[in-house]
Amino acid sequence: MTFVTGYNLTQFNRRKDGSSFRDWVSETFESSLETSSLDRRDIDTLIVSSESDFFTLQLNPASVIADDLGLFNIEALRVEGGGASGQLAVHAGVKSILSGASKHVAIIGFDPSASQLPSETIKKLYSYSFDAWTDGMNGVSATALYALSIQIFMSETGLNEYDLANLTINNRENACLNPGAHLKINHSQDEILNSTIISSPYRRLHCSPLSDGAASIILSHKNYIPSKRKTAPEVIGIGSANDRVNLGARLEMGEFNSKTISMKNACKMADIKPSEIGLAELYDAYAGAEFQAIKALGLSSNFLKDFRNRRFHKEGEMPINLSGGLMGQGAPVGATGVGQTATCSMLLEGEYHDELQINNIPKYALADTHGGIGTTSATSILESNIN
Amino acid sequence: MIIKQKLDLNYTLSFGKMTRWVSGLLEGKAIALKCSQCEKSSFPPQRICDCSSSKNEWFELSGKANILVKTSGVDGDFAIAKFEGSDNSAVVRLKGFKIDEMNGKISSCDPSKPSLNLIPIKSGNE
C-alpha cells in the first residue's frame, strides 16, 4: 500500500563550509523528488524530524522548511522521539498514506548535531533526553548509561571487548566504502582497545560521532505511484514500543525489550518472521548497542556465533549496517531513522553505492531505530519490488 | 559567514508530586513510593506501579544501597544500585568509591543540582 518512491541522504559529517541545516534539507528533498519523478505540488503532507530545538535554534521547523521547499497549503508537522525521531516520522507518513489522508508524503530528517554547538553542550543536552529529573540532574552521560547496560548484557551473553572492537572495525570498514559517511577510518584492534575510556567498557572509538546532515524519503500510495517508479520498495510493516525510561526500573537492564515488541508488531503487520530479514540497518549508537539490537530483534538464534562467523559482515548471509551505521556513517539524530529507511530502500532496489550494493538482493530489509537506551523503539520492514 | 549567538535560559522548575523525592535528595534522604495495591517499592519513585496502580504512599528508605554494576572514565563514575527496601534499582553518581567497594549510602547534594549521589560505607560513615 505504501511505497518508497524517493530517497536520499546528504553527506554526514561536521560541516565547515558555511552551509546550514536548511541547505541540507533542500538538497536532500530536491534529490528525493527527482528520484520519485514527482512534482513538489504532488506532495500533500510534509513530516520533518529533528531531535531538539536547542540544536537548530528553530521552533516549529516544519513551517520554515515547508516554505523553503515551496510546499504550500499542505499538512506540515514535526515528529520527535529522541534518537527514534526519524523512524517515528516514517511511521507517521505510512499511517497518513494508509489512512487515505495523503497520496504522497515527504519525510525529511535533519540535525546540526556537530557544527552549531560545542560537543560538551550537545552531550549535556543529550543527558536530558533520558529522565531529566533523575539521570539528567545526575549529569550521567548517554555513554555511561549505555555502558551500564552493556556490562550486564556482556556478563549474561559472553560478549567480550574483542567483539566490541571487531564490530567497530566492521562498521567503519563499511563506512570507508560509503562516500557519504562521516568516519571513513580503518582502525586496528589495538587502536580501539587502547583508545580513551569514556565510560568503561566503552572507549572513544566504540562511540558514534556527532554529525551534521539530512536525509529524506517520499512515500506514495500504491494507486499513485509514478509510472517510472514501478520498482519502488514497499513498507510492509511498522512497529513501535517503549520501555521504562529509568534503566534501573527495568526487569532486564541489559536487554532492549522494547525492540522485541516493536519487531513483533512490525512482523505481524508484514506477515513475516524475523528470520526472513535479509539485511538490516540498526541503531549502533555504541558498538555494544548493535549486539543488543540483533538479539532483541530476533535476527539470530545465536548472535555471538553468527557475528564471529561473519554472518553480518558485508559479504555475509545477512549484512548489517552496510552504510557503516551510526558508528561509521554518522549520527545527525533527526536524520538517522529516515536515512536508515532510505538506505534499505536503495539496497532493495539495487541503487546503493557500488562497493556496498549486494548483488543477491534479499526480499526483506529492516530499519530499526531507538531513542534513550532502547526506551523508544521504532522498526520498519521493507519489501523489494524488483522481481 | 559565521555568527556567534549565546542563549541564556533561566528556568524555574517545580516538581509537583515528585517534590518529596527531590527534597529528599537535597537532604541526603532516600524517599521512595510504595504501591498501595501490591506493596512494591520504587526508588526512583514511579507514579504508576508495574501492577498499573496509581495509588501509592511516600516512605523513607534507610539510604543504604548495594551496587550491581559500575562504570568509570572521563564521563565520571556511575553505577546501577539497589537501595535497601526498594524493589527496583537506580542509576547513581558515585563519589569516592574504590574499585572493590560495592556498598554505599546516599549523600546530600548541591541544592541547585538535585542528584542521586552515593558515598561508600566506611566506619563513621554509616
Side-chain angles (χ1 to χ4, degrees), chain A residues 176-241:
Chain A
C176 288
L177 303 173
N178 175 354
H182 189 164
L183 292 185
K184 295 176 217 166
I185 308 166
N186 281 312
H187 299 299
S188 70
Q189 206 176 61
D190 278 352
E191 275 177 305
I192 295 165
L193 294 173
N194 291 309
S195 64
T196 308
I197 296 177
I198 307 298
S199 291
S200 55
Y202 281 137
R203 296 172 179 274
R204 187 174 63 81
L205 296 180
H206 292 134
C207 308
S208 56
L210 299 172
S211 312
D212 298 322
S216 61
I217 60 170
I218 292 175
L219 296 175
S220 300
H221 187 283
K222 72 169 180 183
N223 294 344
Y224 303 96
I225 299 173
S227 56
K228 292 179 182 171
R229 296 296 294 122
K230 294 299 181 193
T231 57
E234 183 178 2
V235 182
I236 57 168
I238 56 172
S240 183

Side-chain angles (χ1 to χ4, degrees), chain A residues 144-155 200-201 247-248 253-254, chain B residues 66-72 77-82 89-94 97 99 101-102 118:
Chain A
L145 288 170
Y146 275 95
L148 292 168
S149 179
I150 197 64
Q151 282 188 65
I152 296 168
F153 185 82
M154 289 168 85
S155 69
S200 55
L247 190 57
M253 293 177 276
Chain B
N66 176 37
I67 291 171
L68 306 179
V69 59
K70 283 180 188 174
T71 183
S72 58
D77 299 334
F78 296 93
I80 296 175
K82 195 157 191 296
S89 301
V91 173
V92 299
R93 178 183 280 278
L94 298 178
F97 274 78
I99 285 178
E101 287 176 324
M102 297 300 278
L118 210 64

Side-chain angles (χ1 to χ4, degrees), chain A residues 87-195:
Chain A
Q87 202 63 249
L88 291 169
V90 173
H91 289 190
V94 171
K95 289 172 187 172
S96 183
I97 297 271
L98 291 178
S99 72
S102 306
K103 294 173 187 161
H104 303 287
V105 182
I107 297 157
I108 307 176
F110 58 92
D111 262 318
S113 309
S115 60
Q116 287 202 181
L117 284 169
S119 56
E120 281 306 309
T121 306
I122 294 278
K123 208 163 128 182
K124 188 171 182 183
L125 288 170
Y126 275 163
S127 74
Y128 287 100
S129 70
F130 304 97
D131 183 338
W133 288 3
T134 54
D135 301 324
M137 295 280 192
N138 264 357
V140 62
S141 66
T143 312
L145 288 170
Y146 275 95
L148 292 168
S149 179
I150 197 64
Q151 282 188 65
I152 296 168
F153 185 82
M154 289 168 85
S155 69
E156 289 170 350
T157 62
L159 181 77
N160 63 41
E161 62 177 337
Y162 297 101
D163 297 313
L164 295 180
N166 290 336
L167 185 131
T168 304
I169 290 168
N170 280 359
N171 288 6
R172 300 239 164 90
E173 272 179 1
N174 288 349
C176 288
L177 303 173
N178 175 354
H182 189 164
L183 292 185
K184 295 176 217 166
I185 308 166
N186 281 312
H187 299 299
S188 70
Q189 206 176 61
D190 278 352
E191 275 177 305
I192 295 165
L193 294 173
N194 291 309
S195 64

Side-chain angles (χ1 to χ4, degrees), chain B residues 32-94:
Chain B
L33 273 177
K34 178 174 275 191
C35 174
S36 307
Q37 190 164 296
C38 72
E39 298 199 329
K40 268 193 177 175
S41 303
S42 58
F43 183 80
Q46 296 171 348
R47 286 171 185 262
I48 305 292
C49 181
D50 291 336
C51 76
S52 277
S53 171
S54 60
K55 290 181 182 171
N56 42 47
E57 287 177 8
W58 293 105
F59 76 110
E60 186 175 343
L61 302 173
S62 71
K64 292 179 190 171
N66 176 37
I67 291 171
L68 306 179
V69 59
K70 283 180 188 174
T71 183
S72 58
V74 295
D75 275 7
D77 299 334
F78 296 93
I80 296 175
K82 195 157 191 296
F83 280 75
E84 209 172 72
S86 175
D87 287 299
N88 62 355
S89 301
V91 173
V92 299
R93 178 183 280 278
L94 298 178

